[in-house]
Amino acid sequence: MKTHKLFDNGSHTWLMFGRDEEKPEQIIDTNQYIVITKNNALLMDPGGIELFSAMLSAVIKQVPANKITHLFASHQDPDIISSLGLWDQALPSATLHSPWLWESFIRHFGMHNIHYAAIPDEGNSLKLDSVTLDFIPAHYLHSSGNFNVYDSKAKILMSGDIGAALETVEAPLFVEDFDDHIDKMKMFHQRWMPSNKAKNDWVQRVRKLDIDMMCPQHGRIFKGDNVKRFLDWFEALEVGLINKGSN
Amino acid sequence: MSEASTNYFVCVAEIAAKLDQATHIAQQLSLTASNARAVALRAGERAAGFRPLTDFIDRLAEITISSSKKINLLASRLSQTSADKVRADDAIEHFHAVYIKAKNSPYISSLDSQLMRCESVQEDLNRKYRRQIDQLSDELAMLSNELRNAVILATLSRVEASQAGSEYQEALINVADNVEGAAGKIKEHIKYSQQMVSILEEY
Ligand SMILES: [Fe+2]
Ligand SMILES: [Fe+2]
């Protein structure tokens, strides 16, 4: 598991964990993110059960366990949060922020100690020391209850499955040539995302945000102008398709 | 580890299934008792000795049903404890992997208190597991003991049947056979369950 620093301004740090070479071949590669503030840390989309010990090992190199006070799960998928039962043993007094829609489902992963903070459909915010993180609605992209995390100071949007690309663990961290990258994203967005209306609604909402980096849960990070390129491409893309020959 | 844990879930589930079957047989047994009571009534004075036996058959059915219920409850508690035990064992195993992978981390000791907590939970669960196994095994032994009375009951029923006169004799002998047959089948289920318990005791 590799660790990359994405942002650091003295008051807080963003790190990305991913490109895990030891992960079993059949499971999708995932990016995990953490925001570390003075006394707290928020771990986002902590990943699948298969990844837990690699993740905890990587995280514990950066912060002590008792500083990880908050977890976030953008939605209910196993690659997002099936490790919950083990985090529940490791961080018994943490709070999990996740869509209200999925509470009774996510609890199936095993949650006896961690507190579930249900995010309402319209989203809300979390204050970590001096840093405010916004949970931005991204419903039906692809999950019917789904949020992004936005940090207006770092200008980072953690976009979950939006912007995801299916790639190998050797893939670079950042999108280099946007047009080249389209091939790796197209099928994922068309096949997993069901609603053009929800998609366009999200594009409108996100266009209003000041974003330097858009960080998906799979694949590469979009930086600078590539963020706008992604929004334009995504807006024009027709989703909710089963299209065998295309991709 | 994972193979053993699958086994204990399977063993516990098999015990519950066997006792479910025992309950069904006991329900039939109580039907047998009420039929026998009707026959004995019709046979009148000559079957007077048979009537108290039907109460004993009833009692045997009742004990089997209530004891099976109890064993089922114990088995489902044991299954829950097994699941908790697997979860605790699993977490500890993962923590140990982290201690190796992140041994140079300045924060590695921040996991110590959680590991200790998990280990103490694991010990509690191990004790609970032993205790529940013992309860299960005691209850099975108790039921098996009760069923020994079935042989005596069947013998007495046959003696009484032979005095009830030819018209009712066959029906009452049939009752005796039913009691003996049912008890035999239930005993087999108990014996099998006891074998499962002895497998569980090894974990
Ligand atoms: Fe997903
Ligand atoms: Fe995903």
Side-chain angles (χ1 to χ4, degrees), chain A residues 82-102:
Chain A
S82 65
S83 56
L84 181 62
L86 292 164
W87 289 107
D88 189 67
Q89 305 282 321
L91 314 172
S93 46
T95 297
L96 171 68
H97 302 265
S98 212
W100 72 269
L101 192 68
W102 295 122

Side-chain angles (χ1 to χ4, degrees), chain B residues 25 28-29 32 36 50 57 60 150-159 161 169-185:
Chain B
I25 298 166
Q28 282 162 12
L29 193 61
T32 303
F50 203 95
I57 300 171
L60 188 65
V151 183
I152 305 166
L153 252 175
T155 313
L156 289 177
S157 298
R158 278 193 198 98
V159 172
Q169 199 170 353
E170 200 184 330
L172 291 176
I173 284 177
N174 203 14
V175 169
D177 291 346
N178 278 351
V179 172
E180 204 167 35
K185 276 190 237 159

Side-chain angles (χ1 to χ4, degrees), chain A residues 22 49 52-54 56-57 60-66 85-86 88-92 109-110 112-113, chain B residues 84 87-88 90-92 94-95 97-99 101-108 110-111 114 117-118 121:
Chain A
E22 288 162 41
I49 199 159
F52 173 79
S53 61
L56 181 56
S57 302
I60 209 84
K61 288 174 188 161
Q62 309 297 328
V63 281
N66 55 11
L86 292 164
D88 189 67
Q89 305 282 321
L91 314 172
F109 289 127
H112 300 290
N113 303 305
Chain B
D84 293 346
R87 197 188 276 277
D90 194 33
I92 287 167
H94 276 92
F95 285 162
V98 172
Y99 274 93
K101 279 187 201 161
K103 62 173 181 290
N104 299 322
S105 161
Y107 307 118
I108 190 68
S110 70
L111 276 182
Q114 278 333 301
R117 201 185 64 93
C118 284
V121 168

